[in-house]
Amino acid sequence: MNYPQRISRLRQRMENEGVTALLVSSLPNTRYLIGFSGSNGLLLVSEDRVSFWTDSRYREQSAQEVQGARVIIPANGDIWTAAARQANRFRTVAVEAACLTLAQRQRLTLPDERLHPAVNWVEELRAVKEPEEVEAIRRAIHLASSVFEPTLEKFHPGMKETELAGHLEFALRQAGGEGLSFDTIVASGVHAALVHGRASSKPIGSKEFVILDYGVILGGYVSDMTRTIHTGPVPRRARQVYQAVLDAQLAAIAAVRPGVTCATVDAAARKVLQREGLGDAFSHSTGHGLGLEVHESPRVSRLSKQRLAPGQVITIEPGVYIPGWGGVRIEDVVLVTESGVEVLTPTTKKLLTV
Ligand code: ZN
Ligand code: ZN
């Protein structure tokens, strides 16, 4: 991971914004900038110095992980007061507007006029991945994909959604997963019509769609994939809806290349579903960036004017949700390359039945 380059890019941004110091309080941003993966820390980046405060629980871990920053462990454990003291030396200090609570702000003794809101400064750097990050994401994706079909063999009609989710999660952990990207979604039958239905105690029936949406963390980076399977023989209508979602997903992937707006990619999926009379049943955005976190910049939504750039890693996940009937979603992770797109998720998109 190229930490020095990340810090120098951030300093460039700070210079453009006219500030000489940035207090980073987002932990994923901290991890991105100096490698620290613990749960308590504050980072101050200035023109000529990078200082990091954490508490004594992380003495050993910070010594092992932190790159390119001076680590300070205040004797009383109060990292906010210690960081505020150093921040006070600067005329203006940028703070991460999206993740500073009022309680934390009050511990920074600087007056309002010396604080400057930083919005997405580090997040925008994170949106474009280094080759090493792409490889880390690729490894997480491959781990997740490797457990998919073996887990389906454990299915029997009447099994609860939570039970199938449990098999999936156990397999991910057994294969070396550090954690889950998010709570595993197993949504079957009418439950599959809920866009973000989690796994419930509902028994999975013998003639319904089951949406499985899950991800694993490996090397700090997340995966995210969705496949929809069918239990028992597939009725004609179900096959049509599945094909429409797959066509929409393939159309959106085909639209991905550097320079196009996220809205264009979103529209490619939406157009296919509208043509099939399913436009209203597609009620969310087409995708999102991912990396250290499962939802990162850019947002692949109807309104997003962000333009894709090589090195961005995004999901493409259109879905159709019909209340009282069920739903279908298909999600891959793709990499924006210099010339177009590479699909990173290797799992088949053929409609599998169990
Ligand atoms: Zn997902
Ligand atoms: Zn997703």
Side-chain angles (χ1 to χ4, degrees):
M1 305 294 169
N2 199 339
Y3 297 107
Q5 189 181 61
R6 294 173 184 181
I7 293 287
S8 78
R9 286 208 177 121
L10 179 60
R11 282 187 171 131
Q12 189 59 56
R13 175 71 185 257
M14 289 160 57
E15 197 184 316
N16 296 345
E17 302 275 353
V19 301
T20 49
L22 168 68
L23 186 68
V24 178
S25 53
S26 148
L27 287 166
N29 286 350
T30 300
R31 180 166 192 170
Y32 180 75
L33 293 168
I34 61 165
F36 179 72
S37 69
S39 68
N40 188 32
L42 270 177
L43 181 69
L44 186 69
V45 180
S46 65
E47 288 163 304
D48 57 355
R49 214 190 280 191
V50 182
S51 305
F52 175 67
W53 292 265
T54 186
D55 67 73
S56 57
R57 290 174 300 164
Y58 291 113
R59 192 178 299 279
E60 188 64 23
Q61 187 176 331
S62 60
Q64 284 171 13
E65 289 182 339
V66 172
Q67 308 261 341
R70 193 163 74 95
V71 179
I72 305 151
I73 299 177
N76 64 359
D78 183 356
I79 61 172
W80 282 88
T81 303
R85 202 173 303 129
Q86 189 169 318
N88 246 314
R89 295 184 196 154
F90 299 93
R91 190 168 42 85
T92 310
V93 178
V95 291
E96 296 191 294
C99 53
L100 188 76
T101 66
L102 182 57
Q104 290 165 343
R105 191 267 165 269
Q106 286 170 341
R107 298 178 72 182
L108 290 176
T109 42
L110 286 90
D112 278 349
E113 55 274 18
R114 286 174 57 202
L115 292 181
H116 178 98
V119 179
N120 293 335
W121 292 5
V122 184
E123 287 82 353
E124 279 170 28
L125 300 179
R126 282 169 52 190
V128 175
K129 271 69 185 177
E130 295 160 7
E132 210 179 322
E133 294 183 278
V134 174
E135 287 319 302
I137 295 168
R138 202 189 288 272
R139 280 192 291 274
I141 289 170
H142 279 256
L143 193 160
S145 292
S146 73
V147 308
F148 179 66
E149 289 186 61
T151 298
L152 296 185
E153 284 165 23
K154 305 239 188 295
F155 173 79
H156 57 81
M159 176 184 263
K160 289 183 187 119
E161 292 174 354
T162 48
E163 214 177 329
L164 188 56
H167 283 298
L168 210 44
E169 293 174 358
F170 181 76
L172 291 170
R173 285 298 236 167
Q174 204 174 32
E178 292 158 11
L180 303 171
S181 307
F182 50 88
D183 284 346
T184 300
I185 295 171
V186 175
S188 62
V190 292
H191 191 188
L194 308 173
V195 177
H196 263 96
R198 308 228 182 258
S200 76
S201 58
K202 173 190 174 299
I204 302 171
S206 57
K207 263 184 244 135
E208 53 191 29
F209 273 129
V210 187
I211 295 177
L212 300 109
D213 187 351
Y214 67 100
V216 71
I217 307 171
L218 190 64
Y221 283 79
V222 303
S223 74
D224 184 6
M225 72 178 262
T226 308
R227 287 294 181 270
T228 303
I229 60 167
H230 200 277
T231 58
V234 189
R236 216 166 75 96
R237 176 67 180 147
R239 200 168 282 285
Q240 285 167 346
V241 171
Y242 188 88
Q243 191 59 45
V245 174
L246 181 55
D247 289 346
Q249 206 247 4
L250 294 172
I253 291 173
V256 172
R257 62 180 173 277
V260 304
T261 64
C262 288
T264 306
V265 175
D266 183 271
R270 224 164 277 283
K271 208 171 87 188
V272 172
L273 292 172
Q274 273 157 1
R275 196 180 61 208
E276 300 291 328
L278 294 165
D280 292 339
F282 175 25
S283 49
H284 55 77
S285 300
T286 293
H288 54 86
L290 87 176
L292 288 170
E293 291 180 286
V294 75
H295 290 115
E296 295 193 355
S297 179
R299 282 195 49 171
V300 187
S301 72
R302 215 191 285 237
L303 300 172
S304 173
K305 294 191 177 71
Q306 285 173 284
R307 287 187 187 275
L308 294 176
Q312 287 183 334
V313 177
I314 57 173
T315 69
I316 300 290
E317 50 177 308
V320 157
Y321 310 91
I322 303 170
W325 184 79
V328 174
R329 178 165 69 254
I330 302 171
E331 174 181 32
D332 285 334
V333 175
V334 307
L335 167 69
V336 184
T337 64
E338 294 291 340
S339 57
V341 63
E342 179 191 348
V343 178
L344 301 183
T345 309
T347 310
T348 182
K349 288 186 272 197
K350 218 175 69 189
L351 177 53
L352 298 180
T353 56
V354 290

